Amino acid sequence: MAHGKKKPGRADQAAPQAGAGAALPHEPTPPPRAGAGRAVAGAVAAAAGLIYLTTAAPGAWWGDGQELACAAWTLGIPHPTGYPLYTVLGHLWLKGLAHLDPGRALTLFNVVCQAVAAGLLFRLFQQTLVRDPANPADQRARAGVMAALPAAGAALIVALSRTVWEQATFAEVYALNYVLAAGLLLAVWADGAPRGPRHAAAAGVMLGLMGLNHYSCVAFAPLAALVLLRWGRGAGQPWRIPLAGVAGFVIPLAGYLYLPLRARANPPLNWGDPSSLRNLIWVLSGGQFRELRMGADQGSAAGGLLGWIGWWGYQLAPGAYATPGVCLGVGLIVLAIAIGGLILLARARWELGAGLLATLALTAGFGMFYQIPDIDAYFLPAAPAAALGWIVSVRWALAALGRRWGELPLGPLSRAVPVLVAGAMLLWHYPRLNKSWDDAPAVWGEAVMNALPDGAVVLTGGDADTYCLWYQQMVLGRRKDVSIVGSNFIFSGWYARYFEVEGRPRIPVAIRDQAPGHKLTFDVALFEGTILPNLAAGRPLFATFADPLFAEYLRAEPVETLLPASYYEQSLYPAPFLPTPVLYRLHDNAPLRALSGAALAREFERWYRRPPGSAPVPRPPR
């Protein structure tokens, strides 16, 4: 050969020569072995899953968890927007775990989703640490943080943040979107090389599946769009690749046809009855939750923004110190680091940096313009986006220090700092997220059903008590002779079909499709359309909530204490939304039954207008 050099063979190319020094400054550092990365990802997922499993609720928990269990068990339709993907996957999951309590089994579905997401995020963070997308030529930064331990620690920090952890402890739709989001981020991160139509379609399908489950997927829409445009331009196919992504996104959304098709069969849970086009649009557009938009109120929007900023501090702060002021201060610091990192990222890969900044902005918009009690879960898409910004910021800081002070002595202990932080979060969040002891929903529901006589009618007043008794009947098959009347649904026209389900007792109940208006309107409708006709028919009537009119006109009598008072001080569920600890028996009032709707309204209006401290309205004879 020329100059006496031997052409290197494959063996020479595959392994460095003995005594080779460090990689050249601009030489790409090879990633860790795939097998080792998969093993660590599995370990991270297993660790997160074990923590979630030991703190998860023992069964169907209060609120949406029980309603979603009913929907999954019966292949029904839960509250808007219907969540077809969660319902169908949950149904298949319950069939596969038929030996477990359905509520517990569906909670395990969330455990698995969040644990898998932790493993996927480890792979994402590992890629970010091995190939710094903001400064790929910086050898000093790579040398300090390229091991698997920092990526594992970062994934566990996100996994053990309050909202991520909490969503793994009971059945809810957000965990499914979270694991899909982690998969989408991993798919679009890659190494910046142009991708083809298949990759674009796969990314679109991932986003479409998220849309089939929950609309919070909109937080990733700008990222997906920018990445598809980048891929199309890089591959010289500026239209074909983005269109492939759009097609992939649209195809899963056809799953929403499940709603009208299933509604025609009138399943046991048929919220909104989307069998007609009008009702389908109502369900898909958010149903009654559309009224919760607060965008026109500037004060509420500003408060929502401050709440979103404070949410970031709340994820990390120990419970004893998680005051609004501390959370707001910590949140500002966390966001500043994340935004700075994403700006650095945008300088190297504009589609990723700009897309993830848009994700943060859109979740802030959720907090500003859509204020609901569980808004925290809408911020979940921002957690991995911010974590990527933190990683890029830390890499940049280490590189800057290295340039100023020379190579930093970052040993194993330094690499273990994120893992130590995650361990600290485990200790201080555990007591406030552990639901493993809380079997109160099962105790409460069973106590109500045991206390009711044959053929009873029970009035419920909110989500927690209604869903709990639905779960007892629809999932556990208990007390099919009992009629459950959700008083909060009497002005929802779709609710009439609930009483037409085969096997349910036929009882007099008036359902109207109208705005509730004043409480007087509600009281007259409830008494005239449901309470008094059932009492006249001799049906035993009970209520799971207290109302002054019940005490005044129906001699509401406590008949069963359902939960101890101490539970309401210990429960992790918001106390204002818990059902009352007492079951009330309501008694007939023949003189009241003789009143017409207008006369009944005048009678109640007189009672409402009583001067404070005046003598009560005389009770009807017993």
Side-chain angles (χ1 to χ4, degrees), residues 73 90-109 112:
W73 183 259
H91 182 76
L92 298 174
W93 180 269
L94 294 180
K95 291 295 184 183
L97 298 178
H99 60 288
L100 292 180
D101 170 75
R104 177 63 173 173
L106 200 59
T107 300
L108 292 180
F109 180 73
V112 171

Side-chain angles (χ1 to χ4, degrees), residues 13 49 59 65 75 106 170 191 211 215 218 234 262 311 327 331 368 399 415 436 438 470 484 503 514 527 571 619:
Q13 294 175 340
L75 269 183
L106 200 59
F170 60 96
D191 56 5
Y215 289 174
V218 71
R262 184 61 179 144
W311 177 82
C327 290
M368 294 171 64
R415 295 172 182 170
S436 61
D438 194 354
W470 280 357
I484 303 167
Q514 69 177 62
F527 270 74
S571 176
R619 294 181 184 274

Side-chain angles (χ1 to χ4, degrees), residues 191-217:
D191 56 5
R195 300 292 180 177
R198 285 191 307 167
H199 294 92
V205 167
M206 196 77 71
L207 187 64
L209 289 173
M210 293 173 64
L212 187 58
N213 183 58
H214 194 271
Y215 289 174
S216 60
C217 72

